[in-house]
Each structure stands twice: as C-alpha cells, then as structure tokens.
Amino acid sequence: MSESSTTPLHLAVALDGAGWHPAAWREPHARPKELFDAAYWTDVVTEAERGLLDFVTFEDGLSLQSTHRTEPDGRTDQVRGRLDAVLIASRVAPLTRHIGLVPTVVATHTEPFHISKAIATLDYVSTGRAGLRLRVSRRSHEAEHFGRRTIPRFGPEDLDTPVVRELTAELFEEATDYIEVVRRLWDSWEDDAEIRDVATGRFIDRDKLHYIDFEGRHFSVKGPSITPRPPQGQPVVSALAHQSVPYRLVATSTDIGYITPHDTDQARATVAEIRAAQAAAGRAEESVHLFGDLVVFLDEEPGAAAARLERLDTLAGYPYTSDAKVFTGTPAQLADLLLSWQRTGLSGFRLRPGVIGHDLEAITRGLVPELQRRDAFRRSYEADTLRGLLGLARPANRYATV
Amino acid sequence: MSTPLKQIHLAAHFPGVNNTTVWSDPEAGSHIEFSSFAHFARTAERAKFDFLFLAEGLRLREQGGKIYDLDVVGRPDTFTVLSALAAVTDRLGLTGTINSTFNEPYEVARQFASLDHLSGGRAAWNVVTSWDAFTGENFRRGGFLPQDERYSRAKEFLATATELFDSWRGDEIVADQASGTFLGDARAGAFAHQGQHFDIAGQFNVPRSPQGRPVIFQAGDSEEGREFAAAGADAIFSRYSTFKEGQAFYTDVKGRLARHGRTHDQLLILPAATFVLGDTDAEARELAHEVRRQQVSGATAIKHLEFVWNRDLSAYDPDGPLPDIDPDPGEHTIARGRAQVRMYRDPLAVAREWRELAAANKWSIRDLVIETGSRQSFIGSPATVAETINSFVQADASDGFILVPHITPGGLDVFADTVVPLLQERGVFRTEYEGTTLRDHLGLAHPGTEVHQDRAAS
C-alpha cells in the first residue's frame, strides 16, 4: 500500500476518568460509580493491552477537576475526584504483561526523591514497563492544598502577562531540575552494585553507589536513592507541551513529548521547533519521541461519531473543546489521518478516548486492526519493556566507570 | 463455659534493612524484586494473617562517613509496592510506614485514600517521625525540624490528614446518569486547617474510601510516643516481645486510653517478633545459634561496637577482646541514619558493662555482640512457639505479633505451615477471614461519617 510506512506507528491512550468528554460518564458503558475501584482500571488497561498499545497514561492532579484552567468550578454534573495515578498504575501492573504504564506526576508540589523511588518501584513491579508524565501546576488553589508556596491567582486573560510568563518560566525551570534529580537518582546505583560477597560480608559494593549532590536554584538533593536502579535503567519520562517553554522541557529532558497540532502544518512546525531545541540542548543524537495528541470519537458507521459527539455536547450543555484536535469519524478515517500526520515527523499518537467505555474498544478493535491491515502497527508485542516497545536503548549509567 | 479465649492478631514484616535479615543464606532471595513481595504476601494471606508490614528509611545509612554495606541495602517505595500487592491478594491488610516529616498531608492522605480504594479497604499507615538533617538532605524543601518539634508536627500532620479523610462523608458520589448529577455536594472534600505547622485549605480530591480512614499505627517508645499512640492510634508497633516487658508496656499504654476517652479494645499492642523453628526445641536452639552467627559476622560485630565507641575500630579483631580504650564521649558522628545509636544514652557506662561481661564470660567482640544484641523472640518446635505466643497474648503481654522472619521471601512459610494450624486448633486464631477490610480483621470500628463542622457551617 502506498501510504504504509516503513516505520510502524506507536500508539498510546490517555486515560482520564470515564473519558475526555465531560458527559462521558453518562454513556451506557461508562461505569461511573466504579471510577474509584481497581476493577475498572484493570479492565480498561487490560483492554488497551489487548489492542497491543505501547502504553497508557493516567491523568492526575492535586485538586478536583475543573473546567477552568486556573480555579475550581464548583460543578456537580461532571466527574470529580480521582485516585493517585502512580498507585493506579502500580495496582494494574501485576495484572498486565506488556503494556507500558505512565502515571502523571505533578512536579510543582511533590518531592523528586519520593517520585524517583516510586517510579523505579513501578518499574520493578511491572518488570520494566514504567514511565512518568510530568506536569507543572500553576493553580493557586493547588498551592493552597500544600501551603508551602504561594502562586498568584490569575485568570485565562492574564496568561500572556509578564507575571504569568515569568511564573511559567520559573515553574518549568524547576520541573527541568526535578527531572534531572529523578534521573540522577535512578542512576545513583550502578546495575551491579549488589554483590552479596559472603567472604567480606559486604552486601553491596559501595563504590557503585553515588551521591547525586544536586544543587539547583530551587532545591538540593543529596542521594543516593534508597531504591536500586530500575530494570529499564531509566524509566521513560514524558510531558505534554503546547508552547515554547514546555517544548524546551521536552527537548532538554524527556523521552517523549506529547504535542497538540490541529493540522499537518502545525505538526511540522512544532516538530521542527522541538528538534531545533533538542539540537541546541546537545541532544540531537538522542531519541526523543514526539506523539501527537488527539481526542477521538470513533464509530464504524460514517457520521455516527459526529452525531454521538453532538448528543454528548447536548448532555453536557455546551460544545466540547480541547487543547488537542477533536476527531470524529471511522477507524479507517482516523488511520488515514494518523498516517498522513506521521509524515510530519511524529513517532506516534496518544489518543484520548472521548468515552472510554466506547472509544477505547473502537481503538483496540477498530483502529488497530485497520492499521495492521496497512502494515502500520505491530501484530504482537515485540518486547517486554516500555523502552523496548519504543525502540529506546537501555541507557548507560552516567556514574559508571568502566 | 469459661471466658472466651482472646483472639491473636498476626502480621508479617517484610525482612528489612538491618542485620537480623540474613542475606548470605543460599535461601535468601531478592529484597527488591516484586516476586519476593508477592511470595511473602501470599504466604501471609494463606495463613490468614491480619496484615503485611513494610518499614521505611529515606536515606541510606552511613558509618564513618561511608555508606553502610554489611546489611541488606536498598528498598522499594512503600506505596507503590503495597498497591501492587493489592492486586495479588484479596484480604491481607497492607501497612506502610510513611514519614510525617518529609511529606505533606494532602499528598499522603491522597495516597492512603487511594490505596484504601484500590485494595478494597485494606490500608494502614504506620506514622513515623524523623527530624534529622541527615535524612533531610534528600528532600528539596530541606524539611528537617528541631528535634522537639517532631511529635508536634507528627500530631498535627495526622490530625490534618484525618480532616482530609473526613472531608468526604461517603455519599457524595451520586453518578446518576439520568439526571446528570455526578457529585451530590459541590463542597465535597472542603477543608480548612490552620495550625503551627500547616495552613492549608481547599478541597480534597479523593472520595471517602472503604475504611473511611486507613488504620493508624504508631511506633515509638518515648513518653511522648506512648501518649501520641494512646490519643489517636489504632495499633502500636512495639519493641517488647518478651513477657515481662511486654506486660509492663501493655499495662502502661492501655492505662492511658481512658484519659483520652477511649476504651481498652480501641488500641492494639503488636510487638515485632522474630522466630526460629525446628522439629524439636533442641534443634531450634541449635539453629537459632547458627542464625545469630549469620546475622553477626565479624565485620558486623566491629561495626556494632562502633555505635557505642563512636570511633573507628576497624583495626580490632572481632575474635579478640574488647577495646580497652574508652568511647569517644562527643556527639555521635560515626553512624548516621540509625535509630539504634540513640539507644545508647551513656556510652561510657555501656562500654564498662560490656567489658565486664566479656571478661567474665571470656567473650570475644563477636560473642559479645551476638550475646547482647541478637535475641530471637520465639525459639522452639512449632508446638512450643504456638504455646508461647498464645500464653503471651492470653496474659496481655500483647494482642498479637508482627513477625519478622530472617530470610526473604520464604522465611514465613514454615511458620504459616506449622505454627498457624496449631493456633487454629486451639481456637485462638482465625481459620477464615470473617470480614473484608483490615478494620474487620483487627476488630476496629469503621469511623463514623459525620461531616466536619466547617463544611456544614460554610
């Protein structure tokens, strides 16, 4: 087939409550009362694994969900409340075998030491399938949940003011340091540090453990980690990015960036900007995957998905919009779009199911076979680790001396 | 009928980062791989234990300025392991030690509430404190405290977390698809706490979990620690696994409950206990001796002496006599990250006593460390150990035990297979789980869902 690519696509799904549409929970298969139960998450991730997807991400946040970007909305007609994403990922890990598990972590209010060992441990419990998706929080009410720092209250109209731009730059600079600390902690044990040398009585070779001695503008961390280097060496670090500041974070610090183009031109421009920043950061040789994010409503019947979205919008009381492009159509139409966007330099896509109870199966049982027919997606898992699935080598330890 | 027999509570402590854990034994497995934790948890659940217990340490220990290398070093993250264990067990309680000094209440309350949801009501929190700058160096906020504030912060931390747990009544998730009402109350999770250590407000974002709040454990032996536990804990992880000490501690702590308006059965006393089992008592004693020698190598013996002497003793022969020099009287600098060091309040007196003991018994350094340090709690045939444990519990030396095997992960298997059935035959230990939550296993009430006053008023 002419449009088939020599490089297969990578596919992930972003899991959030009952789905990304605010009225998703009202759909027949939504299981809204079970959103806080392990069985729901196990079923959803198992379904994603049945579809041979590379990984799932789990949304998270340190306040109730809101339709406002910067403050609570007090709404009661949408899903509110959620469980800690790292714990959900860990809960499903022993019940799955191949799929990558990528929980969201908020850098602004958490400790890199805790997160480093938590994700390393997720890598152990999943035998090499862990990642994290880093988020920065600019919400003043989230800061008030912690009481450690003050973030000024601002509205959407203030986003372009110098104060907010400076705040954003500072929070992302801190997040860059955060990833650096997390990564150094993962390397703070060499892979063969545990020696169990009965003759000398030494359990470890302490010369293979390293203080990370991180000193930054925002914090310092001594190390080493309490948790040995995880199976992947470095679990996969990812972040969502919409603007130049977060693009730089992706370019300097992550293995995967999620971007939100609305057409191929935008996709091409964003890829170019991030690649340039990556080269400027001296990482031109490193693999940084760029995934396009799309919200998807999929039905086999042409027009059905658009009609469904319209019905959901009516239930919600307003038309659904997103930072990402909202796609409605058939799996075949989505396959067309993905393959054409892939040529802009995207490695793959992170699909946000509009309604998990419907659109996840449409992805795994509709889109995936469609892509397989076009030789654009795997027919079985080819690796046991997330790095393996993404074609990323296991990195050398920065502290190891040969 | 006579008075019904008191029921024993049993738990399993995953062997940890200390010299009681024997890593040199060919049977010893990984302390990190999940398969070890899964094996251990499944054994505990097969034996109908109340819960599994994980300890925590947030900085690798050091001695003489170098990372301590003689014991097991390294451990996984507590929450992450417990959540994964919830997937491979159905009833076993999951108790995690989480420090209140290097965490924030909103985050810890979220993690425990999430664990309670994801395990169907099996979460417990062993609240510990820390204050030292040594551990604080691993944390971005440099969060260490003056020592005298450690309990005041811990107390306020626990109170704040409780406010967060209680900020949902439990009936707010309506999820009525027809009417479109997901949340029954827009103020669900509302909280406001203002105190010496925390000034936080907003909305907690995890709905009320199956147990309402996790079961609260507290370890700590000081006067303050005992009061802290008597005031609010559901269980104490104590050190006193011998009969007389156990009874004294039990009487003291349970005696404090009334002053806090609590009843005798609202706080369980659960000492940590080790065990060595053999086919006969004699065989067990012999094995116990061997285990102690595995636990205390020559190098370990020297390092233990340094805790008291507060100076480098590496030139000494572990099979030779004790040093005739005195301990360095200054502030303890040689070992860091160890609670044990603080137990030797008067090193000069301890050294004098140890030298006298060694001389009288003709003990080498290693003999002394073995004889004074590494006592196993229960040694004997399964029948002897079952009888001893039962007699301790019936006589109120404890309400049960948190068993720490010396081998990972299989060290609990023999206890599960041999001692547990004997306790079941005596009618003092369950043969099936009666309930589904850890509170059910421990006989603790589920906390009420009375809403916090501030939400009602606002």
Side-chain angles (χ1 to χ4, degrees):
Chain A
M1 295 205 178
S2 61
E3 64 190 343
S4 76
S5 152
T6 48
T7 321
L9 274 180
H10 294 287
L11 270 189
V13 287
L15 301 174
D16 186 13
W20 288 74
H21 194 284
W25 68 272
R26 300 182 64 180
E27 288 291 277
H29 302 295
R31 303 165 70 180
K33 285 195 161 121
E34 297 175 52
L35 300 178
F36 309 98
D37 294 345
Y40 171 75
W41 293 100
T42 305
D43 290 349
V44 166
V45 178
T46 305
E47 179 60 33
E49 186 170 67
R50 203 172 289 137
L52 307 177
L53 303 188
D54 290 78
F55 62 94
V56 293
T57 62
F58 302 89
E59 291 303 302
D60 204 1
L62 297 169
S63 61
L64 286 180
Q65 300 90 321
S66 175
T67 48
H68 293 303
R69 283 174 72 179
T70 55
E71 55 186 302
D73 63 5
R75 292 185 83 120
T76 55
D77 62 333
Q78 300 178 359
V79 170
R80 292 293 179 266
R82 56 167 121 230
L83 305 182
D84 182 274
V86 176
L87 270 71
I88 295 176
S90 189
R91 178 65 175 75
V92 301
L95 306 175
T96 51
R97 287 193 50 208
H98 295 285
I99 194 162
L101 302 167
V102 181
T104 298
V105 160
V106 179
T108 310
H109 301 295
T110 61
E111 290 284 349
F113 190 85
H114 287 316
I115 289 301
S116 172
K117 66 184 160 67
I119 301 300
T121 303
L122 180 63
D123 210 38
Y124 279 104
V125 304
S126 65
T127 53
R129 296 181 284 127
L132 69 83
R133 178 218 152 186
L134 199 79
R135 252 198 57 200
V136 158
S137 167
R138 293 187 300 190
R139 296 173 176 155
S140 63
H141 64 286
E142 287 191 5
E144 285 164 14
H145 290 162
F146 286 80
R148 299 290 297 237
R149 70 202 300 170
T150 310
I151 289 179
R153 200 169 287 278
F154 60 87
E157 66 283 1
D158 303 318
L159 285 173
D160 240 354
T161 59
V163 174
V164 174
R165 280 210 304 269
E166 194 181 319
L167 171 71
T168 304
E170 191 177 311
L171 292 176
F172 273 91
E173 183 188 290
E174 184 189 53
T176 308
D177 284 359
Y178 189 102
I179 296 178
E180 174 68 13
V181 168
V182 166
R183 286 190 182 280
R184 284 194 201 180
L185 287 167
W186 286 335
D187 279 349
S188 65
W189 290 57
E190 293 182 36
D191 291 317
D192 52 356
E194 187 179 313
I195 51 170
R196 299 197 186 213
D197 184 25
V198 178
T200 59
R202 292 178 308 144
F203 181 78
I204 50 153
D205 176 354
R206 63 177 161 226
D207 293 337
K208 291 177 186 281
L209 265 57
H210 303 275
Y211 296 103
I212 68 162
D213 283 323
F214 180 86
E215 299 277 349
R217 222 184 103 197
H218 307 278
F219 52 85
S220 62
V221 175
K222 180 78 184 170
S225 179
I226 61 164
T227 306
R229 195 165 192 247
Q232 294 184 100
Q234 294 268 321
V236 174
V237 175
S238 65
L240 173 66
H242 298 109
Q243 295 161 337
S244 296
V245 171
Y247 291 160
R248 274 200 300 280
L249 177 80
V250 166
T252 58
S253 307
T254 72
D255 303 296
I256 303 174
Y258 313 109
I259 60 171
T260 52
H262 285 247
D263 55 47
T264 50
D265 286 346
Q266 233 183 333
R268 202 169 290 118
T270 305
V271 170
E273 184 175 347
I274 294 176
R275 294 297 177 217
Q278 193 186 331
R283 292 182 80 210
E285 300 304 306
E286 290 178 45
S287 288
V288 176
H289 282 301
L290 298 178
F291 277 50
D293 264 24
L294 290 167
V295 185
V296 296
F297 296 84
L298 295 175
D299 285 283
E300 287 295 342
E301 202 61 29
R308 188 157 56 88
L309 173 59
E310 205 174 310
R311 187 164 53 75
L312 284 160
D313 284 354
T314 306
L315 274 177
Y318 58 93
Y320 174 63
T321 57
S322 171
D323 54 322
K325 177 181 167 68
V326 179
F327 176 90
T328 58
T330 66
Q333 288 168 329
L334 181 59
D336 290 343
L337 180 131
L338 300 186
L339 292 174
S340 90
W341 283 25
Q342 186 191 16
R343 289 194 286 268
T344 66
L346 294 174
S347 322
F349 296 88
R350 187 176 72 146
L351 305 177
R352 307 180 188 175
V355 177
I356 287 177
H358 180 104
D359 296 299
L360 178 60
E361 282 194 15
I363 291 167
T364 55
R365 301 175 192 205
L367 174 69
V368 164
E370 180 65 35
L371 289 169
Q372 287 168 334
R373 274 193 289 278
R374 303 183 193 195
D375 283 333
F377 194 66
R378 68 170 64 84
R379 288 189 165 78
S380 64
Y381 280 110
E382 70 277 14
D384 291 329
T385 67
L386 179 53
R387 280 189 168 270
L389 293 177
L390 294 169
L392 299 172
R394 188 176 190 274
N397 189 321
R398 74 194 66 195
Y399 298 109
T401 47
V402 184
Chain B
M1 289 289 282
S2 55
T3 341
L5 290 166
K6 195 175 155 188
Q7 292 296 301
I8 297 171
H9 296 283
L10 290 177
H13 183 329
F14 191 86
V17 173
N18 54 52
N19 75 292
T20 57
T21 307
V22 174
W23 55 260
S24 54
D25 193 294
E27 296 285 305
S30 172
H31 295 79
I32 302 293
E33 303 291 336
F34 182 63
S35 54
S36 282
F37 289 88
H39 175 116
F40 193 73
R42 286 184 177 124
T43 304
E45 183 160 275
R46 169 162 64 83
K48 316 296 175 198
F49 276 28
D50 294 57
F51 60 92
L52 172 144
F53 184 96
L54 292 185
E56 191 184 47
L58 296 173
R59 175 129 186 215
L60 298 183
R61 299 171 311 170
E62 289 181 2
Q63 191 140 331
K66 291 175 177 160
I67 291 167
Y68 194 81
D69 58 0
L70 302 178
D71 294 345
V72 167
V73 181
R75 55 177 115 216
D77 178 66
T78 301
F79 281 120
T80 316
V81 168
L82 293 181
S83 192
L85 287 176
V88 299
T89 55
D90 289 321
R91 298 293 179 89
L92 187 68
L94 302 165
T95 304
T97 301
I98 293 294
N99 194 295
S100 62
T101 309
F102 304 110
N103 285 291
E104 297 301 320
Y106 194 92
E107 192 183 7
V108 167
R110 263 201 103 213
Q111 289 166 314
F112 273 113
S114 297
L115 181 63
D116 207 43
H117 278 287
L118 292 169
S119 64
R122 299 188 276 141
W125 175 14
N126 178 38
V127 187
V128 295
T129 63
S130 179
W131 53 274
D132 60 302
F134 177 69
T135 308
E137 281 177 352
N138 276 339
F139 294 93
R140 62 190 297 188
R141 302 180 214 286
F144 62 90
L145 291 170
Q147 186 175 1
D148 56 359
E149 282 185 26
R150 60 197 288 226
Y151 276 111
S152 105
R153 179 178 160 107
K155 232 182 271 181
E156 193 179 326
F157 194 110
L158 183 56
T160 309
T162 303
E163 286 169 43
L164 294 169
F165 294 133
D166 286 356
S167 67
W168 291 70
R169 286 184 307 262
D171 58 357
E172 292 93 340
I173 304 292
V174 178
D176 181 8
Q177 292 176 308
S179 71
T181 303
F182 186 85
L183 207 54
D185 180 351
R187 299 270 299 146
F191 69 92
H193 175 94
Q194 201 171 7
Q196 190 193 339
H197 299 277
F198 307 105
D199 182 0
I200 61 174
Q203 273 178 291
F204 188 51
N205 70 347
V206 183
R208 197 167 182 85
S209 69
Q211 291 189 112
R213 302 168 205 149
V215 172
I216 301 297
F217 282 76
Q218 203 270 325
D221 187 39
S222 64
E223 174 65 22
E224 272 178 304
R226 291 179 188 212
E227 271 305 293
F228 180 37
D234 298 308
I236 295 186
F237 176 48
S238 99
R239 296 199 280 119
Y240 300 112
S241 60
T242 61
F243 188 80
K244 277 180 80 174
E245 282 183 325
Q247 269 191 330
F249 182 79
Y250 193 100
T251 307
D252 175 79
V253 177
K254 294 250 180 176
R256 296 166 187 255
L257 289 168
R259 264 189 286 129
H260 297 282
R262 306 179 72 204
T263 58
H264 192 261
D265 52 2
Q266 283 180 299
L267 179 68
L268 296 168
I269 314 275
L270 302 173
T274 57
F275 59 90
V276 179
L277 294 163
D279 287 345
T280 64
D281 289 353
E283 194 187 303
R285 275 196 298 274
E286 203 173 300
L287 188 56
H289 180 74
E290 265 173 52
V291 170
R292 289 208 296 275
R293 293 198 63 85
Q294 284 182 303
Q295 290 168 328
V296 184
S297 68
T300 293
I302 295 290
K303 294 295 179 195
H304 272 244
L305 222 57
E306 290 181 353
F307 300 160
V308 174
W309 262 258
N310 192 21
R311 58 167 87 203
D312 179 8
L313 300 176
S314 54
Y316 284 81
D317 176 4
D319 296 318
L322 268 69
D324 46 16
I325 52 167
D326 276 339
D328 185 332
E331 189 199 340
H332 207 293
T333 56
I334 196 135
R336 304 213 284 176
R338 280 185 187 268
Q340 232 166 325
V341 171
R342 294 194 287 272
M343 282 150 50
Y344 301 123
R345 295 237 153 71
D346 183 354
L348 283 170
V350 173
R352 198 179 320 120
E353 191 191 318
W354 281 7
R355 276 200 292 254
E356 285 165 12
L357 265 174
N361 293 289
K362 298 195 175 14
W363 285 340
S364 66
I365 289 174
R366 189 176 178 199
D367 294 334
L368 174 105
V369 172
I370 288 172
E371 295 300 329
T372 59
S374 44
R375 282 270 166 268
Q376 292 100 341
S377 312
F378 303 119
I379 301 168
S381 68
T384 301
V385 169
E387 191 45 49
T388 310
I389 287 177
N390 188 35
S391 65
F392 276 38
V393 172
Q394 300 307 331
D396 285 349
S398 79
D399 293 311
F401 292 94
I402 300 177
L403 298 165
V404 198
H406 59 270
I407 298 278
T408 305
L412 195 63
D413 298 9
V414 62
F415 191 98
D417 293 335
T418 63
V419 180
V420 167
L422 297 175
L423 294 171
Q424 290 168 331
E425 272 172 31
R426 284 169 166 78
V428 292
F429 190 67
R430 68 173 70 84
T431 52
E432 282 304 329
Y433 289 106
E434 300 90 16
T436 59
T437 69
L438 178 55
R439 285 186 182 276
D440 296 339
H441 308 337
L442 295 174
L444 298 166
H446 283 247
T449 56
E450 67 283 355
V451 72
H452 259 258
Q453 299 308 317
D454 51 356
R455 170 142 58 119
S458 60

